[in-house]
Amino acid sequence: MKTKLLPVAAGLMILSAWTVRQSEIKKMEWLLGTWETKTPKGSLYETWTRKSPVEFQGKSYFLKNKDTLLFETVRLVEKDKKLHYMVSVKNQNGGFPVSFVAKSSPTAEAVRFENPLHDFPQAISYQKKGKDSLLAEISGKKDGREMKQQFPMRKIK
């Protein structure tokens, strides 16, 4: 009897370890697609696609009249059992990405990334508000004052 239970127990342990390892990025699948918000500068879009089982790629861009202006590119990568939000913003940081790390495991409806050493923002968060909407937020201290900027978005694709 013990010899039959041993392979089953080992299989369950391997399956459970694999599920835990893969679950962080999987929890963020609701982010995939194209999201839009209207701003005084024009429409801002964020598009997220799956690059691999452990990485999503994102890009933010403005559509003003007929011009598309790339704002930033993002890699959302699961490594060391944590999600890393690596953002490159045009004309900032010498073109190098800035990394923010999820401080806790994301839920199926929210995630918060932090980098306390960055000038601004020090935190980036996404909160699912329904099937077709989310709230993105950047926050932190700038010139000694707490600031935040919110981007309510709706899914268009």
Side-chain angles (χ1 to χ4, degrees):
M1 181 71 146
K2 285 184 182 180
T3 57
K4 290 181 181 178
L5 287 178
L6 205 55
V8 171
L12 286 174
M13 285 178 19
I14 291 169
L15 181 61
S16 118
W18 181 82
T19 303
V20 168
R21 188 172 55 91
Q22 296 297 317
S23 66
E24 298 304 293
I25 195 88
K26 189 154 183 63
K27 291 177 189 175
M28 297 301 301
E29 287 182 338
W30 57 268
L31 191 59
L32 296 172
T34 300
W35 302 84
E36 175 188 32
T37 189
K38 304 282 186 187
T39 74
K41 295 179 182 179
S43 292
L44 173 67
Y45 296 90
E46 236 181 67
T47 299
W48 289 92
T49 57
R50 182 186 318 272
K51 184 174 180 185
S52 77
V54 293
E55 182 176 350
F56 293 170
Q57 274 189 323
K59 65 179 177 177
S60 296
Y61 52 96
F62 281 102
L63 219 71
K64 189 170 183 177
N65 301 322
K66 293 184 179 185
D67 293 328
T68 301
L69 309 167
L70 184 64
F71 179 63
E72 64 186 18
T73 58
V74 182
R75 291 179 60 220
L76 182 58
V77 179
E78 182 178 345
K79 62 181 179 180
D80 303 325
K81 297 183 182 177
K82 289 195 176 200
L83 286 179
H84 296 258
Y85 186 98
M86 295 172 281
V87 60
S88 300
V89 179
K90 188 176 179 181
N91 300 322
Q92 289 186 14
N93 304 305
F96 293 104
V98 175
S99 186
F100 294 78
V101 179
K103 293 311 268 184
S104 60
S105 183
T107 68
E109 295 174 0
V111 65
R112 179 180 170 94
F113 302 95
E114 295 181 4
N115 179 340
L117 301 178
H118 190 251
D119 54 2
F120 183 83
Q122 289 93 40
I124 299 169
S125 63
Y126 288 87
Q127 184 176 9
K128 186 177 179 181
K129 293 292 193 176
K131 183 180 177 184
D132 298 343
S133 62
L134 65 78
L135 180 65
E137 180 179 283
I138 59 173
S139 60
K141 286 189 177 184
K142 185 173 182 180
D143 300 325
R145 292 184 15 220
E146 285 290 330
M147 297 181 66
K148 72 177 173 181
Q149 191 172 6
Q150 296 184 326
F151 304 92
M153 306 186 98
R154 69 178 181 86
K155 194 168 194 174
I156 60 170
K157 287 193 213 176

